[in-house]
Amino acid sequence: MAQINTPKEVLALAQKSATGKMQLPAGKTLLLAFLAGAYIAMGGLFSLMAGFGFPGVAEAPGLQRLLSGLVFPLGLILVVFAGAELFTGNNAVLVPGALGRRYGWGKVLRNWGLVYAGNFIGAAFFAYFLVVLPGVLSSELWREAACNVAQAKVSMPWLTVFLRGVGANWLVCLAVWLGLSTDDAAGRMMGLFFPVMCFVVIGYEHCIANMFFIPLGMMLGAPVTAADMVAANLVPATLGNIAGGGIFVGGLYWYLNRK
């Protein structure tokens, strides 16, 4: 029978993982981040095709989001099980060690910067070479949905995107925490699945997923500029993700379970 780790044991595992991340060379960190960006893009493509692949589904937004949410967790499952560096997960995992003075905040920011860049490259690479060039979204339903998603993501007020970013990474990092709560493969997968599904169904904003969705829409003809993508979405979503994962998961669980 699988054993459930206590919150203090989960914190210790997160700190052990963070120490390993800090010791990775820059090149290896970038390569692992590239993989994570591609894995999140795989989940994003899966969710786009499942959620928008049926005529009339737009008239049932709850059903559309449910279908998308049921398959999007593939991305985080691949990141955790195959091994990769995801910016949003690191927002929580690296914070306890910095608060406990195991390493400095400069090393945290260096990791976040490298991983963020690698995630973007991986997500954009997958969007262009494995979605656009091979014509995966051949159906007009999918092409129109991809363009509409990109436009919608850059059309919300800045504060709205920020707050949705907080909610997204609170849930994503809770998924990471639940994944650390057991060594059983099925239990870990379940822990990763439900919080990620929840954030997708609610409609929160995940900056790494948006590094796939927005460039994909732009490549398919959405009237969105690079400046729109960065200023109207990636900046507020990223700051919200840092707050959601760093404060509400990494920070609070360190405070509650520190020695």
Side-chain angles (χ1 to χ4, degrees):
M1 182 179 293
Q3 179 180 345
I4 302 299
N5 297 318
T6 66
K8 287 187 178 181
E9 289 170 334
V10 171
L11 178 65
L13 288 170
Q15 291 177 319
K16 180 179 178 182
S17 173
T19 300
K21 292 175 184 291
M22 290 299 183
Q23 295 171 350
L24 288 174
K28 198 167 188 178
T29 298
L30 278 171
L31 184 56
L32 288 167
F34 170 88
L35 291 174
Y39 295 159
I40 296 299
M42 292 173 190
L45 177 63
F46 198 5
S47 72
L48 181 70
M49 299 185 78
F52 294 93
F54 303 95
V57 75
E59 282 70 52
L63 176 61
Q64 180 270 308
R65 289 188 178 188
L66 180 62
L67 292 171
S68 293
L70 284 170
V71 298
F72 185 81
L74 170 69
L76 187 60
I77 290 170
L78 288 173
V79 167
V80 171
F81 278 80
E85 288 290 302
L86 181 64
F87 171 78
T88 46
N90 285 3
N91 290 160
V93 171
L94 301 188
V95 165
L99 291 174
R101 299 183 180 179
R102 292 172 177 242
Y103 41 77
W105 285 101
K107 289 188 175 181
V108 173
L109 294 176
R110 174 182 176 274
N111 176 275
W112 286 357
L114 286 171
V115 173
Y116 193 85
N119 288 168
F120 188 94
I121 295 168
F125 173 90
F126 185 87
Y128 183 67
F129 287 101
L130 293 171
V131 182
V132 175
L133 283 188
V136 171
L137 300 180
S138 55
S139 167
E140 186 58 33
L141 278 175
W142 288 326
R143 292 177 62 88
E144 182 181 358
C147 292
N148 289 342
V149 167
Q151 287 181 260
K153 287 184 175 295
V154 301
S155 300
M156 292 181 286
W158 200 95
L159 181 60
T160 298
V161 178
F162 172 80
L163 292 175
R164 291 189 181 196
V166 172
N169 213 29
W170 193 346
L171 284 162
V172 168
C173 290
L174 282 175
V176 172
W177 237 243
L178 290 178
L180 291 171
S181 69
T182 178
D183 294 328
D184 174 71
R188 178 168 290 187
M189 193 173 294
M190 291 287 283
L192 295 170
F193 179 85
F194 282 103
V196 174
M197 174 187 171
C198 179
F199 106 72
V200 174
V201 173
I202 292 171
Y204 285 151
E205 292 294 309
H206 186 267
C207 65
I208 308 305
N210 292 351
M211 292 175 181
F212 167 73
F213 286 119
I214 300 176
L216 176 64
M218 294 166 64
M219 294 172 195
L220 294 174
V224 176
T225 67
D228 293 333
M229 173 179 67
V230 173
N233 187 277
L234 290 187
V235 169
T238 300
L239 293 175
N241 289 167
I242 292 172
I247 296 173
F248 291 106
V249 181
L252 286 181
Y253 279 108
W254 171 81
Y255 178 77
L256 293 168
N257 297 290
R258 73 194 191 284
K259 293 182 180 178

